[in-house]
Amino acid sequence: MLFNNPPLTPSLQQKGDNRMAYVGRFAPSPTGPLHFGSLLTAVASYCDAKAQQGQWYVRIEDTDIPRIYPGSEQHILECLDAFQLYPDAEIIFQKDRLDLYEAVIDQLHLAGQVYACACTRKMLGSNHIYAGTCRDLALPFEQQAIRVKVADQSICFQDRLQGQHCSNLKEDLGDFVLKRRDGIINYQLAVVVDDYLQGITHVVRGADLLDNTERQIWLAQLLGYPTLSYMHLPLAMNAQGQKLSKQNLAQALDPTQAPKLLQQALLALHQPAVDLDQPEIMLQQAVLQWNTNLIPHSIELERHYL
Ligand code: GLU
């Protein structure tokens, strides 16, 4: 663990701001083996942090226990090793931190920002926008989903690649779930709490998560956490025009092919070429040449990958 007894609210933080100027992270979920799309995120987040003399951390997002794919955690660790993507702190695992997320839910409960919800998915209707049916029912928290209240206001942020992105959470989504009825902590909560507790300043990740960002900014605001810098990378697609994903059976990264794959990843990100060498040396060169202006400002990459 990076932090023992971490402060959950800024008011509890020690005096003085000892946050670093750049702390980035790679935060894979072990729901399948890493694929070429995951490599783009790992490499881009690493190079962006190192090019700005920052720190780079790795966090395994494994709160959704039923979706964990056997062996994928091992594959992530093997790949990081093979690609010589060495984090600047011990890797943290969200499943070891459930008490922290529960404490934040308690904190939001005290502030009247969350409530228990007994609605089923079916009751949401076809547009999946939650109408706030249980908001004022004061249902007991046991064995119910926990939702956070959202406001009828536009939340906007300036993405470093995708430009301005806005959402009115009330109109687009409604109050959203932080903890499921089966007790699983939702990604939205865990990611916000850990980005704060790890002192993350910059998020570099796939554009498939672009639409999640306003929810995360909203939660961070409710908790008094600073707003982060975001860069959402174009997604690697397969020949069928689908984003590479575990669901689409994207090919698992082969750790024995690390140098070649690294070269391809940098090419996909439109970075200057890097000679084949040990991954560590290739990464050093990639960091020196790192130029975010060259990354396509699109949601999808044009070339297809396996
Ligand atoms: N764990 C998420 C995923 O693998 C990424 C979270 C993030 O980078 O914010 O899709």
Side-chain angles (χ1 to χ4, degrees):
M1 281 242 296
L2 274 176
F3 298 87
N4 295 321
N5 304 317
L8 294 173
T9 59
S11 56
L12 296 175
Q13 259 189 302
Q14 286 161 357
K15 278 212 174 120
D17 191 1
N18 41 22
R19 294 202 158 235
M20 280 180 276
Y22 192 123
V23 184
R25 69 351 179 241
F26 173 52
S29 303
T31 50
L34 290 189
H35 49 73
F36 189 70
S38 337
L39 182 63
L40 293 187
T41 305
V43 168
S45 59
Y46 178 90
C47 290
D48 199 57
K50 296 293 163 182
Q52 297 187 57
Q53 288 76 46
Q55 301 272 297
W56 182 75
Y57 299 163
V58 173
R59 179 170 76 226
I60 307 292
E61 303 210 309
D62 50 1
T63 54
D64 197 347
I65 311 273
R67 286 189 58 223
I68 292 180
Y69 183 84
S72 56
E73 204 157 279
Q74 187 56 31
H75 183 248
I76 294 172
L77 302 179
E78 260 173 42
C79 284
L80 290 171
D81 221 44
F83 287 89
Q84 301 181 327
L85 286 160
Y86 302 128
D88 293 306
E90 207 180 309
I91 297 179
I92 65 168
F93 294 78
Q94 289 187 325
K95 68 172 177 316
D96 299 335
R97 300 161 64 81
L98 299 178
D99 289 352
L100 286 172
Y101 314 131
E102 293 286 352
V104 173
I105 291 180
D106 288 347
Q107 187 185 321
L108 289 167
H109 190 191
L110 275 175
Q113 302 286 6
V114 291
Y115 61 91
C117 170
C119 295
T120 60
R121 204 176 282 249
K122 250 191 193 160
M123 289 160 76
L124 289 190
S126 54
N127 62 8
H128 297 285
I129 298 168
Y130 183 67
T133 318
C134 297
R135 228 191 210 225
D136 302 315
L137 299 184
L139 296 172
F141 269 40
E142 287 71 39
Q143 280 155 30
Q144 302 289 16
I146 307 301
R147 287 185 187 269
V148 63
K149 296 177 186 171
V150 298
D152 186 6
Q153 71 184 53
S154 183
I155 296 176
C156 294
F157 69 100
Q158 193 65 30
D159 189 88
R160 289 168 62 199
L161 284 181
Q162 309 295 341
Q164 197 183 55
H165 200 266
C166 297
S167 171
N168 178 318
L169 292 175
K170 183 153 189 283
E171 285 172 6
D172 297 341
L173 188 76
D175 299 340
F176 58 94
V177 172
L178 297 186
K179 184 180 170 183
R180 298 192 327 220
R181 187 187 312 257
D182 61 5
I184 301 280
I185 297 291
N186 191 297
Y187 153 69
Q188 310 294 348
L189 176 67
V191 81
V192 168
V193 171
D194 281 339
D195 279 344
Y196 172 67
L197 292 178
Q198 290 192 284
I200 302 298
T201 55
H202 291 66
V203 172
V204 176
R205 60 187 179 190
D208 52 332
L209 293 165
L210 189 60
D211 288 343
N212 291 245
T213 309
E214 287 88 355
R215 263 173 275 180
Q216 295 169 11
I217 291 173
W218 172 247
L219 263 180
Q221 280 175 0
L222 282 183
L223 290 160
Y225 301 167
T227 299
L228 311 179
S229 155
Y230 291 96
M231 177 159 82
H232 286 88
L233 303 165
L235 301 171
M237 312 297 282
N238 66 18
Q240 287 73 46
Q242 302 161 317
K243 114 180 160 90
L244 292 195
S245 73
K246 296 138 190 173
Q247 291 75 25
N248 295 330
L249 305 178
Q251 198 174 302
L253 287 178
D254 178 355
T256 67
Q257 299 297 312
K260 220 178 80 201
L261 287 164
L262 201 47
Q263 216 175 30
Q264 288 170 8
L266 290 162
L267 211 65
L269 293 164
H270 291 208
Q271 296 301 297
V274 163
D275 299 331
L276 279 178
D277 206 322
Q278 278 186 45
E280 205 168 6
I281 309 286
M282 295 176 73
L283 284 168
Q284 274 169 18
Q285 200 186 335
V287 168
L288 285 176
Q289 300 177 161
W290 184 246
N291 183 353
T292 53
N293 293 327
L294 301 175
I295 304 175
H297 290 219
S298 58
I299 297 287
E300 297 173 5
L301 289 171
E302 273 170 22
R303 261 199 62 187
H304 295 140
Y305 299 89
L306 283 176

